[in-house]
Amino acid sequence: MPKKIIVVGGVAGGASAAARARRLSEDTEIILIERDEYISFANCGLPYHIGGTITDRQRLLVQTPSKMQQRFNIDVRIRQEVISIDRAKKNITIFDKNTEHKYTENYDRLILSPGATPFVPPIPGIDHPAIMTLRNMHDMDQINAWISEQKPKKAVVIGGGYIGLEMSEALHQRSIAVTLIEMAPQVMNALDPEMATLLHQELTEKGVKLQLNNAATGFEPIEQGIQVLLKHGNPIQAELVILAIGVKPENQLAKKCGLDIGRCGGVVVNEYMQTSDPNIYAVGDVVEVNHLVSHQQTLLPLAGPANRQGRIAADHIFGRNSRYQQSQGTGICKIFDLTAAMTGMNEKALRASQMEYEKIYLNDNDHAGYYPGATPIELKVLFHPKTGQLLGAQAVGNKGIDKRIDVLALAIRAQLTVFDLEHAELAYAPPYGSAKDIINYAGFVAVNWIRGDSLLCHVQDVLDKDEQTMLLDIRTKTEYKNGTIPNAINIPLNKLREQIDQLDKSKKIIVFCKSGLRAHIACRILMQKGFDCRNLSGGYGTYMLVTEAYQKDPNKPIPPATKAMASKSAG
């Protein structure tokens, strides 16, 4: 039983570890050291206070030092920073910012939770006062003060991840024109490119100017504010710049005392959150984790895993057999009126890991189409082509995205397969879902493919087709006239049986409708009549998403006709 535990850093991992340790032992001395003045705050809520959605700043403070001391009898020391660790003597050196003096404390067990720090590139002019990052309460206050005092009309957000997207919306809500710069050809890199296309459409429609495949190369002060120099194109003038390029583990303290650092730059820990020194634990954004699907080391700076890791570290210190059971990267983000969420691995990661996989696309309503207010969900599911094991999923839509991704996240963790999705019994009433949910449809489509009842193909197969392959659009004449894949012929599904003689059995037929449902029926008819046919997964809607995502000029304006999100009734 340890007599003294020191926790370095608060927020999700550190504060959870300290509170859990106290619940397990009333006798152990517990010290929580935080270099900032806030030990536990909702960092995921910071952009929403800037945007005005969360009006009361105090609601972001999950736990204050005085309340934590009173409730948990923990010695909370704010504005104090641990600057070194002596592993041999089992003590730490602390710099007290309040008195500007150093002192030491010994420990029996040490828990490191320093988090991660925003990446700031070493480019000219980066120290301009109008350039800011968002990681803590101080950053949030600084941005709010700048907006209130300087009243910027134009802002540039650099980076299209969670913070970049949320800050683009927050600044838009403050009536500030936003340009979003992203080095990659897409925002939200956790999504595959075709799924991110929907976010590009939403951002553009809301007035955010996208600069994809571009990067800031420097900053110059001008009379009106700051000029952002670009790798491609003319400079952009703004009065505020938000750096949201990403974060990196704050591993300096661990490095200095000789703890093992992994290839991704995070502290190496075992399943009990122990570092290479068994008396020192590390939790949260500073650690590398084992991915549940790929079993490779990675960085996943998310609040949920950090909370669980803090609890597990405290459990193990007091002899409990708690183990961290890997991370799977489940995340969700609000982008104006859309929600994007993901879990497991995306196709890019599966391809890079050389893992065998198959993919399907589905488009269905979030609830019964006959009940008012139904909105579409675009879903992509990745699975093993032989066993049907679920490997990953992504979803984008207006409503019901969290429910579907949470179901699939739990299914991946439980090592369920697409065969299990067929039988998933989910809550149903017309305002909330459909009798056959999109989760069930994912199971139906994947299992049909594995069993050979309906063979699938993808957009790349359409783009690479030869003269021995024909495209068959089985949508209505009206839908066909409003837009189709080049060189496709049209036979509406309801006319297919009577017009089947128009088709050439010597050719492979790629059949498509809007989302894949009618095409499946057509394929079943054709296969039983001796035709070699494939159902284009996701249909015409997915074709539009993919071709838009991979066009040569990602900055090209998206015409309204390419919008792929539409109701199930048409597919």
Side-chain angles (χ1 to χ4, degrees):
M1 181 76 70
K3 293 181 179 180
K4 187 175 182 180
I5 297 172
I6 297 180
V7 181
V8 181
V11 197
S16 296
R20 177 62 172 172
R22 175 57 72 221
R23 290 195 297 271
L24 294 177
S25 172
E26 272 293 304
D27 300 322
T28 301
E29 181 184 0
I30 302 172
I31 302 173
L32 173 61
I33 300 173
E34 170 58 54
R35 65 186 169 190
D36 201 354
E37 56 194 286
Y38 304 103
I39 58 164
S40 184
F41 61 91
N43 50 1
C44 296
L46 302 180
Y48 300 107
H49 179 60
I50 294 172
T53 303
I54 300 172
T55 56
D56 185 358
R57 179 183 180 278
Q58 294 301 113
R59 293 184 66 84
L60 296 173
L61 301 177
V62 178
Q63 188 67 270
T64 65
S66 59
K67 287 181 179 178
M68 194 159 194
Q69 287 172 337
Q70 291 169 5
R71 178 164 295 182
F72 294 103
N73 188 28
I74 291 172
D75 182 358
V76 179
R77 304 179 187 180
I78 59 173
R79 291 183 48 78
Q80 302 194 26
E81 184 173 5
V82 177
I83 57 176
S84 66
I85 302 169
D86 188 326
R87 292 167 51 194
K89 295 180 180 178
K90 292 177 67 174
N91 68 30
I92 58 175
T93 300
I94 304 159
F95 176 70
D96 188 336
K97 297 179 182 179
N98 304 292
T99 64
E100 296 190 347
H101 286 98
K102 297 178 184 178
Y103 68 97
T104 61
E105 285 280 358
N106 67 299
Y107 63 85
D108 293 317
R109 298 291 185 273
L110 183 65
I111 302 176
L112 302 179
S113 181
T117 186
F119 178 72
V120 179
I123 56 179
I126 196 71
D127 56 350
H128 191 285
I131 303 173
M132 305 179 192
T133 59
L134 179 63
R135 188 62 179 167
N136 54 38
M137 297 286 288
H138 172 74
D139 294 341
M140 180 190 73
D141 292 339
Q142 187 177 22
I143 293 170
N144 268 333
W146 186 271
I147 293 172
S148 298
E149 295 165 10
Q150 304 295 325
K151 297 180 172 46
K153 291 187 170 25
K154 296 178 182 177
V156 169
V157 176
I158 302 177
Y162 289 96
I163 295 296
L165 292 171
E166 290 165 356
M167 279 304 300
S168 295
E169 180 176 354
L171 295 172
H172 180 273
Q173 288 176 318
R174 298 287 292 268
S175 300
I176 301 171
V178 178
T179 299
L180 176 60
I181 300 171
E182 169 54 56
M183 187 180 295
Q186 66 168 90
V187 300
M188 187 56 73
N189 199 47
L191 295 175
D192 285 317
E194 68 277 16
M195 302 297 285
T197 296
L198 297 165
L199 308 190
H200 300 163
Q201 294 173 356
E202 179 72 6
L203 289 161
T204 302
E205 286 182 3
K206 292 300 190 292
V208 175
K209 295 179 181 178
L210 287 179
Q211 287 279 345
L212 303 175
N213 272 328
N214 211 343
T217 58
F219 305 93
E220 293 178 348
I222 55 175
E223 186 177 349
Q224 299 85 359
I226 188 169
Q227 187 164 251
V228 183
L229 307 179
L230 300 177
K231 184 177 181 180
H232 307 293
N234 297 324
I236 301 172
Q237 293 185 6
E239 297 90 40
L240 172 63
V241 175
I242 303 295
L243 287 182
I245 301 171
V247 297
K248 55 184 179 180
E250 199 150 310
N251 60 17
Q252 297 90 337
L253 190 61
K255 264 186 179 179
K256 279 170 58 178
C257 73
L259 296 179
D260 288 351
I261 305 296
R263 63 178 182 84
C264 301
V267 177
V268 174
V269 293
N270 62 16
E271 58 191 335
Y272 307 112
M273 308 313 299
Q274 282 176 302
T275 67
S276 51
D277 183 328
N279 294 309
I280 302 177
Y281 295 71
V283 300
D285 296 356
V286 76
V287 305
E288 289 190 7
V289 292
N290 197 40
H291 198 286
L292 180 69
V293 178
S294 69
H295 305 297
Q296 296 176 351
Q297 292 300 108
T298 187
L299 297 172
L300 288 171
L302 298 168
N307 274 286
R308 294 194 298 277
Q309 290 164 6
R311 180 185 178 91
I312 288 165
D315 276 0
H316 190 257
I317 286 172
F318 287 99
R320 299 201 173 195
N321 192 29
S322 293
R323 301 165 185 251
Y324 187 66
Q325 298 180 15
Q326 304 175 303
S327 292
Q328 65 192 81
T330 304
I332 191 165
C333 185
K334 178 182 180 295
I335 304 96
F336 290 96
D337 295 330
L338 280 186
T339 299
M342 69 297 297
T343 188
M345 296 183 73
N346 59 28
E347 187 176 357
K348 292 176 291 188
L350 287 167
R351 202 161 46 236
S353 300
Q354 299 184 321
M355 294 177 66
E356 194 176 2
Y357 71 93
E358 184 52 79
K359 60 186 176 183
I360 55 172
Y361 298 91
L362 302 102
N363 182 284
D364 200 358
N365 287 333
D366 70 298
H367 65 245
Y370 58 82
Y371 187 88
T375 57
I377 292 174
E378 192 76 31
L379 177 66
K380 179 178 183 177
V381 177
L382 299 140
F383 60 96
H384 192 280
K386 297 184 181 68
T387 66
Q389 179 187 351
L390 290 163
L391 303 175
Q394 302 158 48
V396 180
N398 298 104
K399 304 193 310 287
I401 300 302
D402 52 345
K403 170 183 174 178
R404 273 67 185 203
I405 285 296
D406 282 345
V407 168
L408 291 167
L410 192 57
I412 290 173
R413 183 157 290 278
Q415 297 187 325
L416 301 184
T417 69
V418 293
F419 296 95
D420 297 299
L421 299 186
E422 278 190 300
H423 306 289
E425 186 174 331
L426 306 175
Y428 161 61
Y432 304 107
S434 300
K436 288 188 285 190
D437 192 85
I438 193 170
I439 297 292
N440 299 120
Y441 273 115
F444 299 151
V445 173
V447 169
N448 282 338
W449 183 86
I450 292 174
R451 290 172 177 157
D453 291 338
S454 180
L455 303 180
L456 296 178
C457 70
H458 298 291
V459 174
Q460 194 60 49
D461 298 304
V462 173
L463 300 177
D464 294 342
K465 75 178 183 65
D466 55 24
E467 293 182 356
Q468 296 305 308
T469 302
M470 66 177 295
L471 297 172
L472 175 60
D473 185 340
I474 51 84
R475 297 176 301 158
T476 66
K477 293 291 183 184
T478 301
E479 290 174 281
Y480 178 75
K481 289 178 182 177
N482 287 336
T484 190
I485 299 175
N487 302 315
I489 67 167
N490 177 228
I491 301 177
L493 176 59
N494 293 345
K495 300 286 186 180
L496 181 59
R497 288 182 179 89
E498 59 188 80
Q499 297 181 25
I500 200 167
D501 291 340
Q502 297 179 22
L503 302 176
D504 186 348
K505 279 191 176 180
S506 68
K507 292 190 174 184
K508 181 186 294 183
I509 302 174
I510 294 178
V511 185
F512 67 93
C513 60
K514 183 170 184 191
S515 63
L517 178 59
R518 285 175 289 175
H520 171 65
I521 299 170
C523 276
R524 290 303 301 156
I525 295 170
L526 293 172
M527 288 174 71
Q528 292 178 75
K529 295 295 183 179
F531 288 87
D532 181 5
C533 68
R534 304 287 188 279
N535 182 353
L536 175 60
S537 182
Y540 184 62
T542 297
Y543 172 84
M544 298 304 290
L545 287 180
V546 173
T547 52
E548 177 66 33
Y550 291 98
Q551 64 178 343
K552 291 183 180 179
D553 180 11
N555 295 312
K556 178 181 175 182
I558 303 168
T562 68
K563 290 284 281 188
M565 300 284 285
S567 68
K568 174 189 170 187
S569 60

